[in-house]
Amino acid sequence: MPESVELILRFHPVGGEDITVLSHDFVSEQEAVNAIAASIDERRSLVLTQARFDRESQVAGVVINSANIVSARVGRTDSAASGQYL
């Protein structure tokens, strides 16, 4: 089984501030993008079991209400050079 990598998931919700979550729930960026897209298409929440909010040190479970997400960005690095939201 492939080992998971730490990915930076940035969500831009409707009428709110961006949310940054660091997650070890996926083995690739493509898997994370597919999971986010499926949760939006199926109108269900995205459940992460190995995540940290905005660089906190403690790992916890996180539930993202994808009904409120306008856009998301997935990457291994987080900087201005990482591009626009999808």
Side-chain angles (χ1 to χ4, degrees):
M1 180 174 185
E3 190 172 320
S4 64
V5 295
E6 183 170 71
L7 294 174
I8 300 163
L9 311 174
R10 294 195 64 197
F11 299 98
H12 182 74
V14 175
E17 293 185 30
D18 288 359
I19 301 165
T20 301
V21 178
L22 286 77
S23 174
H24 281 277
D25 286 277
F26 308 103
V27 295
S28 69
E29 293 173 62
Q30 187 61 47
E31 182 183 8
V33 168
N34 290 343
I36 293 167
S39 71
I40 292 170
D41 288 346
E42 298 167 8
R43 294 187 171 105
R44 61 176 173 80
S45 296
L46 177 66
V47 179
L48 305 171
T49 59
Q50 302 174 43
R52 297 181 293 139
F53 264 117
D54 201 20
R55 314 227 190 288
E56 290 180 353
S57 61
Q58 186 173 2
V59 174
V62 175
V63 178
I64 305 289
N65 180 355
S66 58
N68 294 328
I69 301 300
V70 174
S71 59
R73 180 169 39 192
V74 176
R76 292 180 191 229
T77 60
D78 190 27
S79 68
S82 61
Q84 296 294 317
Y85 284 96
L86 304 174

